[in-house]
Amino acid sequence: MNMVWLLLSLLYISEGSSGHEVVKVGAIFSLASVNGKVSKIAIEAAERDVNADPSVLGGRKLSISIHDANYSGFLGITGAMKYMTSGTVAIIGPQDATMAQILSHLSNELHVPLLSYTALDPALATLQYPYFIQTAPNDQFQMAAITDIIGYYDWHDIVVVYTDDDHCRNGMVALGDKLEERSLKISSKVALPPYPTATRTEVRDALLKIKTMESRVIVLYTFSKTGFLVFEVAQSLGMMGAGFVWIASSWLSTVIDSYSPLPLKTTNSIQGVLTLRLHTPSSKRKRSFISRWNELSNGSVGLNAYSLYAYDTVWMIAKGLKELFDQNGTISFSKDERVGSLSGESLDFSSLGIFNEGKELLNNVLNINMTGLTGPIQFLDRYPLHPSYDILNVVKSGMKRIGYWSNYSGLSIVTPETLYERSANRSTSSQQLSSIVWPGGSRIKPRGWVLPLDGRRLRIGVPHRVSYQEFVTPGNGNGTIRGYCIDVFTAAINLLPYAVNYEFVLFGDGEKNPSYFELVNNVALKEFDAAVGDIAIVTSRTKVVDFTQPYIDSGLVVMILVKKLNSSPLAFLRPFTPMMWIATAAFFLLIGLVVWILEHRKNDEFRGNPRTQLVTILWFGFSTMFFSHRENVVSTLGRCVLVVWLFVVLIINSSYTASLTSIFTVQQLASPITGIDSLISSHVPIGFQVGSFAESYLTEQLNVQKSRLIALGSPKEYAAALKNGTVGAIVDEQPYIDLFLTEYCDFSIRGQQFTKSGWGFAFPRDSPLAVDLSTAILTLSESGRLQKLHDKWFSRKSCSSGESDLEQLQLQSFIGLFSICAGVCLLALLLHFFLTMCQFNRQLKRDPEASPSTSGSSTSTPTRLRKFLAFADKKKNRTTRYSKRKIEDNNTFPNQRREDFVH
């Protein structure tokens, strides 16, 4: 603290003494200022009220001495030193933040609390100044309220005009932090000389600079004299008219409350301005004090919010002292031993003493819980509980309250004390303000920005393409530019609710496609105000410019050469692989054999001589391919097998037909490349379009060697390079390839897009025009106009660019069906064998020596196997009721043929 003692050595301090019957409190204000005037009146009124109640200080008297700093830091410091040598237990003030920082160091040494409701610099709320208490909400809360207002009206950047002193600089830093939390920003900071030295010329120069900027939302963070000068000059420059937004800090509401009505000239210069005022809830005590104010002030100054805080600050000190006296019963001072080193000097510091009970008094004030004119008074982490503001709109009749802001609930048209009783809700839908009369008398919310008013049109950079000119192309020599991208931009611009004066400027030499990276960089460097064309939105570009909403989807794809299959007499065999053909034929034979086995004993159509039965097996199996088999299947097991097999045949037929159709109508690839992965691993040369980001993406993201990349400048070069083998594939954006394939049908896209992006229009960072154009592009898309523009330029029928990898149908694709069918056949055969064995065993038991054969058997001692085979080959005699009826019918009509009866 050598700096503090050096400061003390510059001052001569007379010796003072302290008494115990009178408790001394100091106050430091510039009494000619608005807050100085109302503070003096309110402090003296509070002093009288405290002394009128003997229960507060137990018979002691509170004596408050007010020192006039007269806008001088030097006089403020001398006043503080006078108090600290005269047994003062607390100081109200100082009025400004710069003096508060200096006196806080002295206060820390001598333990004398400083209580201020006007030095609201956020930097003073740090632990560096433990004996400095801000009894009103500091300006970080006012900055939070301004931020919420800006966010509520959807403005994205602002200009801050501020006085270049500690208080306003620190407040502006707090505002910047709050804006950043909401993804908003201060686009420009314009400093004015410290109060009250700003001249009209300096203010005019600052405002002329602001007038050429895009932002029309101006926050004025200064003091009364400078503030009114700013508004006066702004009105003369036409900056208080429609389209501008002015938000003044609480100094404006303070002056209007104190000196209303203002002079007509001043009133006219502040119409439509938004300002804030510390909110104090209505109460009986407040109304009573307001009614006393005219008597207290003799009509010299009106009541403002700071007069209420001045009154409450005195009572906070009194309550803290009461608690101190209840605990200790006395106050005392002790000499600072460090002052002894200054003995013998011409200055006498022996009267400086440390307030022994200063720490207790400080804690008592911070722990206070009382109700004053400003409402409930409590501190939370050294901040007043529930900071809140009135949001005011300056109109001809004075100020109209349009809502409130509180740290608890944000913006609302309901009083904060009402919302404290509810759960906190700071969602966007819950924020609300009443209607506002803006500068110029408009009730329509200003857009908050305009195009720079520097007397020129916006220069829009357009790539001078030599290929794919359907996207962008110069006109017929008359300076016009045409193309799909131009039409989209023009349609979007026409949807904006304001006029945009612009001109297109070609970028490139016209001999080859320009570098799109250079075009975007020129936008970032402000060489162009925007860039319009087929500009891909990629990560590297978004780091330097802002893009609009994409107006067309894009992405990199791989294109290769294709060829048509040569005609062949055996083309019908192509759908299936050889193994598939073999398996299919084998199953036709298998099904014929299985059905023959199952039907042989029961069905006459599957009986006969061996040649006839062999033909039946072959015919039945292959005829199922066309569902044209004539033989009836009567056994249950045979029908089950046939149903499953016919389902398999249906699938095989459908697959064969589809594959054969594709072979005869669709191209087949002439390259083994199946996508970007196989392209990278193949090591073949890769073509890309001149100026495209494909080159950097392949080398930087996919690690493709630059020696493999070959630049191509036109669709003709694409086709020639692929056909003569200069490149194995071309990597380009989907819209270019789609347009290429409308003319060149010997090529095809291979694989899927391996990047996802789109095309947009580029603007400098934080350009509000990019946001408005994005909205316009979405409107075009939703209305269908964007698709109509696309169809206008790209209505030609495209060659097929779908996947044409016509691989033959593999056996693996049908192995499941074949397995099911084989399983059903095996199960049916096992059941058939089991049932036949059971019947054979019963036959042996009835006639062990009987031969199963009917005639022609030459076996003398037939074996059991031969007997079984003969039994299985024998037609089964059916003795059902239906069979007996047929015998009876035959006996009744012996001369009628069996066929006639059946019919």
Side-chain angles (χ1 to χ4, degrees):
M1 301 308 301
N2 292 333
M3 181 185 70
V4 175
W5 297 115
L6 180 61
L7 177 62
L8 296 178
S9 66
L10 300 176
L11 304 173
Y12 174 78
I13 306 302
S14 62
E15 181 178 357
S17 60
S18 62
H20 298 291
E21 295 300 322
V22 176
V23 181
K24 296 182 179 181
V25 174
I28 304 174
F29 291 93
S30 296
L31 297 181
S33 67
V34 176
N35 287 334
K37 291 178 180 180
V38 298
S39 295
K40 183 177 185 300
I41 296 171
I43 289 172
E44 290 175 348
E47 179 186 12
R48 290 192 295 269
D49 291 345
V50 169
N51 290 332
D53 186 356
S55 64
V56 179
L57 297 179
R60 298 174 180 84
K61 294 295 182 181
L62 186 66
S63 175
I64 302 179
S65 173
I66 301 177
H67 177 78
D68 185 6
N70 197 23
Y71 301 105
S72 170
F74 177 78
L75 294 180
I77 294 172
T78 60
M81 294 303 301
K82 179 183 69 176
Y83 292 140
M84 291 181 180
T85 59
S86 60
T88 299
V89 298
I91 297 176
I92 301 174
Q95 187 169 343
D96 67 86
T98 303
M99 193 187 308
Q101 289 183 8
I102 297 173
L103 297 184
S104 291
H105 291 288
L106 299 176
S107 180
N108 291 348
E109 296 296 325
L110 302 178
H111 298 179
V112 177
L114 299 176
L115 291 84
S116 179
Y117 47 85
T118 55
L120 302 179
D121 180 357
L124 292 171
T126 63
L127 298 177
Q128 182 182 3
Y129 309 112
Y131 281 87
F132 183 81
I133 305 174
Q134 293 171 324
T135 59
N138 70 41
D139 279 355
Q140 70 169 315
F141 299 107
Q142 185 174 191
M143 298 303 106
I146 292 175
T147 298
D148 281 355
I149 293 172
I150 293 169
Y152 175 78
Y153 289 109
D154 201 28
W155 298 315
H156 297 283
D157 59 89
I158 64 171
V159 175
V160 177
V161 180
Y162 68 100
T163 294
D164 194 11
D165 63 6
D166 290 339
H167 186 165
C168 293
R169 276 197 303 270
N170 293 332
M172 186 183 61
V173 171
L175 176 60
D177 292 341
K178 295 296 182 182
L179 289 170
E180 188 176 358
E181 293 174 4
R182 298 280 298 271
S183 298
L184 309 174
K185 74 180 188 71
I186 300 174
S187 60
S188 183
K189 304 171 185 177
V190 180
L192 298 176
Y195 179 82
T197 61
T199 65
R200 188 180 186 89
T201 300
E202 291 169 330
V203 170
R204 181 181 177 83
D205 291 342
L207 293 183
L208 286 174
K209 177 182 177 182
I210 294 172
K211 194 173 182 180
T212 63
M213 299 177 183
E214 287 186 357
S215 178
R216 285 295 181 262
V217 181
I218 305 170
V219 174
L220 183 57
Y221 189 40
T222 180
F223 303 99
S224 57
K225 182 178 178 181
T226 304
F228 284 120
L229 179 60
V230 169
F231 284 129
E232 181 183 340
V233 175
Q235 186 181 35
S236 68
L237 295 175
M239 296 177 66
M240 297 303 298
F244 283 88
V245 177
W246 287 86
I247 303 176
S249 55
S250 57
W251 66 266
L252 180 57
S253 64
T254 300
V255 176
I256 295 176
D257 284 336
S258 302
Y259 293 121
S260 184
L262 298 175
L264 182 61
K265 182 179 179 181
T266 302
T267 300
N268 291 336
S269 69
I270 59 175
Q271 293 301 299
V273 176
L274 297 182
T275 186
L276 298 93
R277 176 174 60 203
L278 286 166
H279 174 73
T280 55
S282 178
S283 66
K284 183 178 180 180
R285 290 189 62 191
K286 177 182 174 181
R287 289 191 294 271
S288 176
F289 186 77
I290 292 174
S291 65
R292 294 172 54 195
W293 184 259
N294 285 334
E295 179 183 350
L296 295 172
S297 64
N298 294 321
S300 60
V301 65
L303 178 76
N304 63 39
Y306 293 101
S307 59
L308 303 178
Y309 278 97
Y311 185 91
D312 282 350
T313 299
V314 174
W315 273 97
M316 291 168 62
I317 295 173
K319 293 286 187 179
L321 288 170
K322 180 181 185 302
E323 185 72 19
L324 178 63
F325 290 139
D326 291 343
Q327 293 171 353
N328 298 329
T330 184
I331 57 176
S332 62
F333 293 84
S334 60
K335 292 188 179 295
D336 191 338
E337 298 298 333
R338 290 170 294 183
V339 177
S341 62
L342 299 176
S343 60
E345 302 290 339
S346 59
L347 300 178
D348 186 3
F349 296 97
S350 61
S351 296
L352 286 174
I354 298 174
F355 180 23
N356 296 326
E357 289 78 22
K359 182 67 172 178
E360 288 79 1
L361 177 58
L362 174 70
N363 292 333
N364 290 344
V365 172
L366 291 175
N367 294 324
I368 201 166
N369 187 355
M370 60 174 276
T371 300
L373 300 182
T374 58
I377 299 175
Q378 286 181 270
F379 289 91
L380 179 64
D381 296 331
R382 299 179 62 88
Y383 296 113
L385 188 65
H386 294 320
S388 57
Y389 291 86
D390 297 337
I391 311 298
L392 307 170
N393 181 205
V394 180
V395 294
K396 291 183 178 180
S397 58
M399 292 187 296
K400 180 184 74 170
R401 184 164 46 212
I402 60 171
Y404 306 90
W405 179 91
S406 74
N407 195 43
Y408 181 77
S409 56
L411 299 174
S412 172
I413 58 175
V414 181
T415 58
E417 52 270 20
T418 302
L419 296 176
Y420 296 152
E421 301 172 359
R422 309 174 188 173
S423 58
N425 183 8
R426 301 202 62 172
S427 63
T428 302
S429 60
S430 68
Q431 305 298 288
Q432 190 176 3
L433 291 175
S434 300
S435 63
I436 295 176
V437 178
W438 301 99
S442 173
R443 291 186 177 273
I444 300 174
K445 185 204 80 171
R447 189 169 68 247
W449 67 274
V450 294
L451 298 174
L453 301 177
D454 52 4
R456 64 176 180 85
R457 294 186 293 179
L458 295 180
R459 299 180 73 249
I460 309 295
V462 178
H464 192 176
R465 297 193 58 87
V466 297
S467 61
Y468 299 114
Q469 294 188 344
E470 289 84 350
F471 295 108
V472 177
T473 180
N476 299 322
N478 55 0
T480 60
I481 299 178
R482 303 171 59 252
Y484 167 68
C485 302
I486 302 301
D487 283 0
V488 172
F489 177 77
T490 303
I493 281 288
N494 292 337
L495 289 178
L496 298 182
Y498 49 88
V500 178
N501 192 16
Y502 63 91
E503 62 177 344
F504 290 125
V505 179
L506 288 173
F507 176 76
D509 55 14
E511 297 180 359
K512 63 179 181 179
N513 292 336
S515 169
Y516 281 67
F517 285 104
E518 293 182 9
L519 175 60
V520 170
N521 285 333
N522 281 344
V523 175
L525 296 174
K526 304 296 178 69
E527 295 291 334
F528 292 124
D529 297 301
V532 170
D534 47 338
I535 306 172
I537 303 173
V538 295
T539 303
S540 59
R541 298 174 185 174
T542 59
K543 294 179 179 179
V544 295
V545 297
D546 284 347
F547 281 94
T548 62
Q549 174 80 14
Y551 59 88
I552 187 173
D553 291 331
S554 181
L556 294 178
V557 294
V558 177
M559 183 179 68
I560 62 172
L561 178 68
V562 298
K563 67 179 181 180
K564 289 186 177 295
L565 290 172
N566 296 325
S567 299
S568 170
L570 299 179
F572 67 90
L573 295 177
R574 288 175 181 164
F576 291 163
T577 61
M579 285 301 299
M580 181 64 186
W581 279 117
I582 293 172
T584 302
F587 263 84
F588 278 121
L589 293 174
L590 175 64
I591 293 301
L593 179 62
V594 170
V595 173
W596 177 82
I597 293 173
L598 298 176
E599 293 291 318
H600 181 66
R601 297 191 66 227
K602 300 179 180 180
N603 194 340
D604 289 336
E605 294 181 354
F606 288 87
R607 300 186 63 80
N609 57 56
R611 179 180 178 182
T612 300
Q613 295 183 57
L614 178 61
V615 171
T616 300
I617 291 173
L618 296 174
W619 163 255
F620 182 84
F622 285 98
S623 64
T624 57
M625 178 188 302
F626 311 103
F627 306 99
S628 60
H629 51 283
R630 295 179 298 174
E631 293 79 8
N632 294 321
V633 178
V634 298
S635 68
T636 302
L637 293 176
R639 290 175 176 176
C640 291
V641 170
L642 187 60
V643 167
V644 174
W645 172 244
L646 290 179
F647 174 75
V648 175
V649 169
L650 175 64
I651 300 300
I652 293 175
N653 279 345
S654 301
S655 302
Y656 176 86
T657 302
S659 181
L660 187 63
T661 302
S662 299
I663 287 174
F664 288 147
T665 57
V666 183
Q667 297 171 338
Q668 188 177 35
L669 300 174
S671 169
I673 297 171
T674 59
I676 187 62
D677 293 332
S678 59
L679 175 61
I680 295 174
S681 61
S682 67
H683 301 292
V684 299
I686 302 172
F688 68 92
Q689 184 181 173
V690 174
S692 171
F693 78 97
E695 178 184 15
S696 61
Y697 185 85
L698 290 170
T699 56
E700 297 173 8
Q701 302 296 324
L702 301 182
N703 298 319
V704 176
Q705 294 179 356
K706 203 164 185 178
S707 58
R708 291 180 56 189
L709 303 181
I710 298 177
L712 303 172
S714 67
K716 291 183 178 179
E717 292 184 19
Y718 279 19
L722 285 170
K723 288 181 177 180
N724 61 28
T726 303
V727 297
I730 289 176
V731 173
D732 206 349
E733 296 178 70
Q734 180 89 47
Y736 299 126
I737 298 300
D738 289 342
L739 185 58
F740 175 85
L741 293 177
T742 61
E743 296 183 7
Y744 298 88
C745 296
D746 294 333
F747 308 88
S748 179
I749 295 174
R750 186 59 165 159
Q752 302 296 324
Q753 286 186 5
F754 56 91
T755 65
K756 295 292 183 181
S757 61
W759 290 353
F761 307 133
F763 289 87
R765 295 301 296 269
D766 303 313
S767 171
L769 190 57
V771 178
D772 287 356
L773 271 180
S774 294
T775 303
I777 290 172
L778 287 175
T779 302
L780 289 174
S781 177
E782 293 170 357
S783 65
R785 291 181 60 191
L786 195 60
Q787 184 62 42
K788 291 179 180 178
L789 290 174
H790 183 276
D791 295 341
K792 169 187 173 182
W793 286 95
F794 312 111
S795 58
R796 288 174 294 178
K797 185 176 179 181
S798 173
C799 300
S800 173
S801 59
E803 287 295 329
S804 54
D805 184 13
L806 302 177
E807 297 179 356
Q808 291 177 306
L809 298 175
Q810 304 287 331
L811 177 61
Q812 288 81 353
S813 301
F814 298 88
I815 195 67
L817 287 174
F818 285 144
S819 298
I820 293 174
C821 186
V824 172
C825 292
L826 179 61
L827 180 61
L829 290 175
L830 291 176
L831 287 174
H832 177 74
F833 177 76
F834 175 76
L835 294 174
T836 303
M837 284 295 299
C838 291
Q839 294 171 3
F840 176 68
N841 290 333
R842 286 196 298 268
Q843 177 69 21
L844 288 181
K845 289 179 180 180
R846 289 196 301 268
D847 188 9
E849 299 299 329
S851 173
S853 60
T854 56
S855 62
S857 177
S858 59
T859 58
S860 56
T861 58
T863 65
R864 185 177 180 86
L865 176 60
R866 289 180 179 178
K867 290 181 179 180
F868 172 75
L869 293 176
F871 177 80
D873 182 60
K874 180 181 178 181
K875 187 177 185 305
K876 180 179 179 180
N877 293 321
R878 302 182 65 184
T879 59
T880 63
R881 193 183 316 171
Y882 174 73
S883 299
K884 292 178 179 180
R885 183 178 176 183
K886 284 206 300 181
I887 295 173
E888 293 175 355
D889 290 339
N890 289 334
N891 293 332
T892 305
F893 306 102
N895 297 324
Q896 187 174 1
R897 294 179 60 188
R898 178 172 177 266
E899 290 79 5
D900 294 336
F901 176 77
V902 173
H903 289 295

